[in-house]
Amino acid sequence: MQINGFNVRVATVDPRQDEVYAAYQPGARVRDIAKATGADLALNFNFADIKTGAPIGRLVVDGKTVVSDIPKTLPREELYMRTDGSLQIGKAPRTARWAVQGSPVLRRAGKNVIRDTIERDQLGEDIWQRKAIRTAVGITEAGHLVMVTTVDAVSLDDLGKIMDELGCPDALNGDGGGSTYLWPEDQGAGRLLGSAICVKKKGDIGMGKLVAICDGHGMETPGKRTPAFADGAVMKENEFNRAVAAKLDAHLKRCGFRTLLVAPADADTPLQARTDAANKAKADLYISIHANAAGEAWGSARGIETFHYPTSAASKRVAEVLHRHLIAGTQLPNRGVKTADYHVLRETNMPAVLVEAGFMTNQDDARLLLSESYRNECAEELARGICEYFGVAFKREETKPSLPSGSVIARGKIVESKQIDGVTYVAARAISEAFGATLSWDAKTNIVNID
């Protein structure tokens, strides 16, 4: 995914639901540590001597200090787990279940503290400004652990802003560069590091949370449609809304969530009936899907905006997460996260958001709203955001590869071909190479020979 223009990998877990622990295996790679301990996720973190695979700086595993500080690392802080299972960034007490050390601290209580901790930890000014592939962890206000590796080279300031976007008031930098490794996303061997932060997922990854899905309006709601296209056709808003709702429903069920469609009929279900259904079912989240409009004629306004009720901190957090995913995935103009006194936001007893996923009154946006690929993108990004909010992993849809019509397979490989008027033509060189033959061209007779 992209955050602030940088490609990153993100895994969010809930330590109250999942088993999060530090693992120590001198001379081993992160991948091997994960497999040996049965982890579903694993992240490099401690600095290490990559020749021997020995962690550098304090490391606590199962309540015991297995690697002690050296003088240079003494001031540095750790990500650690308290006895009650919650996570903290600071100097781990003796009672900590586990602790992994990093430096510098990126954020503390919502503020950038990079410069202060670089000076304290004796890291050097060049480390601050240099761009590199990086590793970081953060803790959200809800207590979730966010594990991040960057695909692009970023500065520490860039990394701090990424962690801010991910909703982490507290964040710590780990060993980066060639040591950066998030398993199983990364499949290479990786360096000898000797330790890792590991996660074992528990039960269904959606934790059985109930998400109420609301496709805005109805098929025949007056005025809720695009202006007429050149061919006279229009798109009704609910065509987009219900398509995305159905796709989101499938994504969430695959990820272990329960879902409730609060407006399953073509008719415009009253708002009170929608919110009553969600409240009665005691849903954990309410999401209302819409397409926007600015007047009745074609105009220039375009982009995505996401709404939450003004006094709901939980709804604001959900809105920020979903909005970030939508903007990163669709690349449409960012109109921001906003507040509104809409019925579905005000009358719900759970965190609730309303998404406006593009303007029906903008021809560029409208063409996207009509397209299956854009509807797929919106549904997946919403599902990824919901998974992040609840601290679970997004489970990809398993698809079987399909071949284009008229494909030619030679010895198990697809070879170059083209269909013209129902006839499939195959490149002679592609066929000869597939069968390990020799191709020659007789210019006098215009004959291709394959031997």
Side-chain angles (χ1 to χ4, degrees):
M1 64 183 298
Q2 275 201 343
I3 299 178
N4 296 341
F6 297 110
N7 291 301
V8 300
R9 294 190 178 104
V10 180
T12 305
V13 298
D14 185 347
R16 295 163 299 187
Q17 169 71 21
D18 305 312
E19 182 183 352
V20 185
Y21 57 97
Y24 175 53
Q25 189 176 333
R29 295 175 170 84
V30 171
R31 177 190 64 186
D32 300 326
I33 295 171
K35 291 180 177 179
T37 64
D40 298 299
L41 295 169
L43 176 73
N44 78 289
F45 205 74
N46 266 65
F47 294 90
D49 180 339
I50 61 174
K51 292 182 179 179
T52 63
I56 297 172
R58 189 180 180 207
L59 176 65
V60 178
V61 176
D62 294 331
K64 297 179 181 179
T65 299
V66 294
V67 179
S68 298
D69 273 313
I70 59 176
K72 185 175 181 178
T73 66
L74 277 171
R76 298 180 183 177
E77 297 183 34
E78 293 103 17
L79 169 72
Y80 66 91
M81 179 173 280
R82 296 169 167 169
T83 54
D84 64 2
S86 63
L87 297 175
Q88 182 77 27
I89 292 173
K91 292 300 291 183
R94 291 183 179 180
T95 55
R97 293 185 185 181
W98 58 262
V100 293
Q101 189 178 89
S103 182
V105 177
L106 302 169
R107 294 173 56 75
R108 195 191 312 279
K111 296 182 179 179
N112 181 321
V113 292
I114 296 170
R115 178 182 287 275
D116 294 341
T117 51
I118 278 180
E119 294 174 351
R120 181 200 68 190
D121 296 350
Q122 306 174 57
L123 294 178
E125 191 76 11
D126 63 313
I127 290 178
W128 185 19
Q129 299 300 338
R130 186 176 72 236
K131 289 184 177 289
I133 307 299
R134 299 192 184 274
T135 299
V137 293
I139 304 171
T140 70
E141 291 182 356
H144 296 164
L145 173 65
V146 180
M147 305 188 294
V148 175
T149 61
T150 68
V151 178
D152 298 329
V154 301
S155 69
L156 286 172
D157 270 339
D158 294 330
L159 186 60
K161 292 173 183 177
I162 289 169
M163 301 309 290
D164 182 25
E165 284 293 317
L166 288 168
C168 300
D170 299 287
L172 180 65
N173 179 65
D175 194 9
S179 298
T180 294
Y181 197 94
L182 177 61
W183 188 86
E185 291 280 349
D186 291 310
Q187 290 291 322
R191 287 178 170 176
L192 302 177
L193 300 174
S195 68
I197 302 171
C198 296
V199 180
K200 290 182 183 178
K201 304 299 288 185
K202 298 294 186 182
D204 289 338
I205 61 177
M207 302 181 291
K209 296 289 187 181
L210 178 62
V211 179
I213 303 173
C214 167
D215 57 301
H217 309 295
M219 275 297 184
E220 302 305 326
T221 304
K224 299 297 182 180
R225 61 198 65 205
T226 66
F229 289 95
D231 62 359
V234 298
M235 183 201 77
K236 298 175 182 179
E237 180 186 345
N238 192 249
E239 292 178 45
F240 171 79
N241 299 345
R242 74 185 303 179
V244 174
K247 295 174 188 293
L248 175 60
D249 179 57
H251 281 306
L252 293 178
K253 286 177 177 175
R254 189 179 63 254
C255 293
F257 290 89
R258 295 178 296 124
T259 60
L260 172 67
L261 300 177
V262 297
D266 287 346
D268 192 344
T269 304
L271 297 179
Q272 189 66 55
R274 298 177 190 231
T275 55
D276 283 351
N279 291 337
K280 182 178 180 180
K282 297 183 179 180
D284 298 288
L285 175 66
Y286 188 103
I287 176 167
S288 187
I289 300 164
H290 289 257
N292 217 335
E296 297 181 356
W298 294 116
S300 60
R302 66 180 310 215
I304 295 174
E305 53 193 14
T306 305
F307 293 89
H308 65 90
Y309 194 64
T311 58
S312 174
S315 296
K316 179 183 178 183
R317 174 67 187 129
V318 183
E320 290 172 342
V321 173
L322 299 191
H323 189 77
R324 170 166 44 78
H325 277 271
L326 282 171
I327 296 300
T330 66
Q331 297 294 296
L332 257 64
N334 183 353
R335 296 175 65 88
V337 175
K338 303 176 180 180
T339 60
D341 188 26
Y342 299 145
H343 176 96
V344 296
L345 305 180
R346 182 184 66 249
E347 300 301 324
T348 40
N349 297 335
M350 70 292 301
V353 296
L354 185 147
V355 172
E356 298 278 10
F359 276 77
M360 295 184 293
T361 48
N362 178 280
Q363 293 198 44
D364 291 329
D365 278 13
R367 280 189 286 269
L368 287 173
L369 294 167
L370 273 166
S371 72
E372 192 72 5
S373 60
Y374 184 74
R375 295 173 181 185
N376 288 337
E377 185 69 39
C378 288
E380 179 172 332
E381 297 305 333
L382 290 172
R384 287 181 176 276
I386 290 169
C387 284
E388 179 182 325
Y389 174 74
F390 284 110
V392 301
F394 176 76
K395 185 178 180 182
R396 293 179 180 274
E397 183 178 8
E398 295 182 4
T399 57
K400 295 181 179 179
S402 59
L403 298 177
S405 177
S407 296
V408 175
I409 300 176
R411 289 191 171 177
K413 294 183 179 179
I414 302 174
V415 297
E416 178 184 352
S417 63
K418 181 179 291 187
Q419 273 199 330
I420 302 175
D421 295 331
V423 179
T424 301
Y425 296 85
V426 181
R429 184 174 299 280
I431 284 290
S432 65
E433 290 176 352
F435 286 94
T438 302
L439 180 144
S440 61
W441 166 257
D442 189 327
K444 293 181 180 180
T445 61
N446 289 335
I447 293 176
V448 173
N449 295 300
I450 299 177
D451 302 313

